[in-house]
């Protein structure tokens, strides 16, 4: 018997923290959420109304979701695009599979930047010995560089810094001779990101520009408003992110990361076809969060321009905070000391096992002024043993 489609049921592919926060936003709006995630103990699965424990490519599970749910989205960048296509045959799906395929592959992503007239880092694609030789010949202009795998990289994984043609060849071996992009290492003054939400009718809204600090390739701190970025640069970043969303005929939430170079110029780094770690502050500091925007675009609800009601600083809480120097056994950080600070909101993702470099949660500090938010966030960082920013 075919199950009855529930107009207030939505599905999300992926069980991580982004899915968990989407579940929360959808439930606020009275929707029922099914999470498809192969891991039985996942952050989103724990929050969802239903958790289907199956691989993303399980066709029976996908068909069952499509039959029950009015709409489906993803929180996981590397979800197989064919899973989205299969769902799209029966229910509303955003983001579109084709856009996800572009964002999943650094070489396609760079080609998309070029086609949309959005500058990105000088680079070369390495997919063969010949490509390696060609890149090595071009190396004077691309070195020092960063060799990045074209697919499946995140949080700085799948990246090797290279300073010479020899190091490049060794790095390509180290990365398993996978398709890679060699990028010139640029003199970054700052990093920023823009989150846009585009509806099926092409109407697009955006969150204010975020300024991001990475440590060891992982986002550490996000500040909004961006303290060091001129308004004209921020406007340019928003215009470029919108242009990319238009070029992809995108529906959903798209995050575009940019570098601001020492000379003030703006270079696109990469795109994520989903809400992004740098947008988490929007839950506490904006009248609509990035997850509310994901929901609105998915459901075809109107998009109103979000407003930042408080300056905010977000600190990522990695598993490292659970380990103090000598002891191999993890222990909880001193949350009560943090919560005693004004304007602190603690988000934990419900992950059972803390591991170094694993995203366990974040905290957002909001305040009446950016200076106050920053001062409190610096105190929070000091309490946690994190470096100042
Ligand atoms: P994410 O977790 O955001 O998906 P990722 O692993 O895909 O990260 P990138 O965003 O490509 O990695 O790079 C991670 C960080 O490394 C950047 O935020 C930046 O700090 C630094 N970086 C990357 N590419 C360059 C470059 N071409 N020049 C200088 N620094 C770079
Ligand atoms: Mg990145």
């Amino acid at each position: 018997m075919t199950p009855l489609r529930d107009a207030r049921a939505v599905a999300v592919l992926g069980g991580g923290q982004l899915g968990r926060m989407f579940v929360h936003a959808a439930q606020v709006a009275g929707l029922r959420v099914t999470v498809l995630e192969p891991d039985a103990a996942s952050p989103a699965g724990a929050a969802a109304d239903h958790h289907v424990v199956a691989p993303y490519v399980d066709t029976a599970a996908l068909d069952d979701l499509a039959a029950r749910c009015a709409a489906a989205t993803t929180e996981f960048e590397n979800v197989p695009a064919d899973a989205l296509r299969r769902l799209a045959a029966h229910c509303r799906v955003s983001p579109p599979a084709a856009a996800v395929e572009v964002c999943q592959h650094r070489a396609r992503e760079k080609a998309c930047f070029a086609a949309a007239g959005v500058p990105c880092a000088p680079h070369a694609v390495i997919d063969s010995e010949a490509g390696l030789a060609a890149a090595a010949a071009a190396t004077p202009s691309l070195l020092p560089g960063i060799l990045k795998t074209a697919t499946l990289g995140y949080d700085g994984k799948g990246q090797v810094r290279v300073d010479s043609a020899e190091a490049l060849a060794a790095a390509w071996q180290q990365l398993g001779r996978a398709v890679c992009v060699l990028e010139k290492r640029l003199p970054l003054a700052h990093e920023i990101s823009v989150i846009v939400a585009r509806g099926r009718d092409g109407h697009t809204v955006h969150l204010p520009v975020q300024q991001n600090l990475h440590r060891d390739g992982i986002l550490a701190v996000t500040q909004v408003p961006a303290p060091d970025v001129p308004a004209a640069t921020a406007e340019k970043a928003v215009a470029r992110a919108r242009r990319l969303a238009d070029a992809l005929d995108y529906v959903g939430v798209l995050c575009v990361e940019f570098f601001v170079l020492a000379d003030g110029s703006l270079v696109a780094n990469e795109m994520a076809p989903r809400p992004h770690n740098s947008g988490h502050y929007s839950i506490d500091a904006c009248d609509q969060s990035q997850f509310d925007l994901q929901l609105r675009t998915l459901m075809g609800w109107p998009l109103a321009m979000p407003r930042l009601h408080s300056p905010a600083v977000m600190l990522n809480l990695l598993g490292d905070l659970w380990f103090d120097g000598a002891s191999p056994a993890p222990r909880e950080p001193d949350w009560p000391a943090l919560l005693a600070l004004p304007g602190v909101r603690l988000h934990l993702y419900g992950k059972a096992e803390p591991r170094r470099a694993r995203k366990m949660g974040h905290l957002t500090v909001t305040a009446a002024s950016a200076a106050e938010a920053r001062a409190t966030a610096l105190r929070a960082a000091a309490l946690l043993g994190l470096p100042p920013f």
Side-chain angles (χ1 to χ4, degrees):
M1 209 175 75
T2 318
L4 226 50
R5 190 190 300 277
D6 178 349
R8 299 198 73 76
V10 296
V12 57
L13 303 190
Q17 60 268 18
L18 297 166
R20 180 182 176 92
M21 290 180 263
F22 172 78
V23 168
H24 292 154
Q27 288 175 339
V28 166
L31 300 182
R32 286 172 284 277
V33 188
T34 299
V35 163
L36 176 67
E37 158 65 48
D39 185 349
S42 74
D49 296 87
H50 303 288
H51 182 184
V52 177
V53 181
Y56 307 120
V57 293
D58 183 320
T59 51
L62 289 168
D63 291 348
D64 185 51
L65 280 188
R68 288 173 194 282
C69 297
T73 185
T74 173
E75 64 105 44
F76 173 54
E77 184 160 339
N78 289 313
V79 65
D82 283 341
L84 295 176
R85 283 201 184 91
R86 189 165 186 112
L87 288 169
H90 303 285
C91 71
R92 250 187 310 187
V93 173
S94 64
V100 171
E101 274 174 332
V102 171
C103 300
Q104 282 172 343
H105 196 284
R106 285 191 199 276
R108 287 186 210 136
E109 191 173 60
K110 297 257 195 292
C112 172
F113 290 153
V118 171
C120 64
H123 63 277
V125 179
I126 297 178
D127 57 3
S128 61
E129 291 289 348
L132 180 68
T139 43
S141 60
L142 292 176
L143 290 181
I146 305 183
L147 187 66
K148 303 180 179 182
T149 55
T151 60
L152 302 174
Y154 69 99
D155 288 349
K157 292 187 176 71
Q159 300 195 5
V160 183
R161 294 184 165 230
V162 291
D163 293 322
S164 65
E166 298 71 46
L168 171 63
W172 193 53
Q173 292 295 335
Q174 187 190 325
L175 294 174
R177 301 159 62 91
V179 179
C180 283
V181 173
L182 173 66
E183 256 179 62
K184 186 179 176 66
R185 217 182 301 159
L186 300 171
L188 313 189
H190 304 290
E191 295 191 57
I192 61 176
S193 55
V194 180
I195 287 165
V196 297
R198 188 173 185 273
R200 278 188 178 71
D201 60 358
H203 181 57
T204 305
V205 298
H206 61 89
L207 290 172
V209 169
Q210 296 99 215
Q211 184 169 326
N212 304 319
L213 173 69
H214 293 81
R215 295 192 183 114
D216 300 325
I218 306 178
L219 182 66
V221 182
T222 294
Q223 299 182 79
V224 187
D228 302 312
V229 179
T233 307
E235 278 160 29
K236 202 180 277 180
V238 169
R240 289 182 185 177
R242 295 178 75 117
R243 207 188 306 157
L244 289 166
D246 286 341
L248 290 165
D249 200 10
Y250 198 79
V251 180
V253 167
L254 178 75
C255 178
V256 186
E257 296 180 55
F258 294 92
F259 301 141
V260 182
L261 303 190
D263 66 1
S265 60
L266 194 62
V267 168
N269 174 26
E270 57 171 358
M271 301 185 280
R274 51 165 173 76
H276 190 259
N277 193 168
S278 64
H280 290 353
Y281 76 94
S282 60
I283 297 174
D284 300 309
C286 297
D287 59 4
Q288 296 172 75
S289 75
Q290 59 173 346
F291 303 100
D292 297 327
L293 295 171
Q294 183 181 16
L295 185 63
R296 287 188 185 217
T297 53
L298 178 64
M299 301 305 285
W301 294 343
L303 288 174
M305 188 64 84
R307 185 179 70 88
L308 180 81
H309 54 66
S310 305
V313 179
M314 191 244 13
L315 303 181
N316 254 353
L317 305 174
L318 303 182
D320 306 60
L321 297 177
W322 273 247
F323 299 93
D324 60 353
S327 169
R331 46 117 194 93
E332 288 273 306
D334 185 1
W335 303 133
L338 279 177
L339 295 174
L341 297 173
V344 167
R345 189 124 188 272
L346 178 63
H347 299 248
L348 293 173
Y349 306 147
K351 296 182 183 176
E353 193 199 336
R355 285 197 300 269
R356 288 185 192 279
R358 187 179 201 197
K359 290 173 179 168
M360 299 298 290
H362 68 271
L363 63 83
T364 313
V365 181
T366 54
S369 71
E372 262 177 84
R374 183 182 162 81
T376 304
L378 284 168
R379 286 174 66 195
L383 282 172
L384 289 164
L386 292 170
F389 51 88

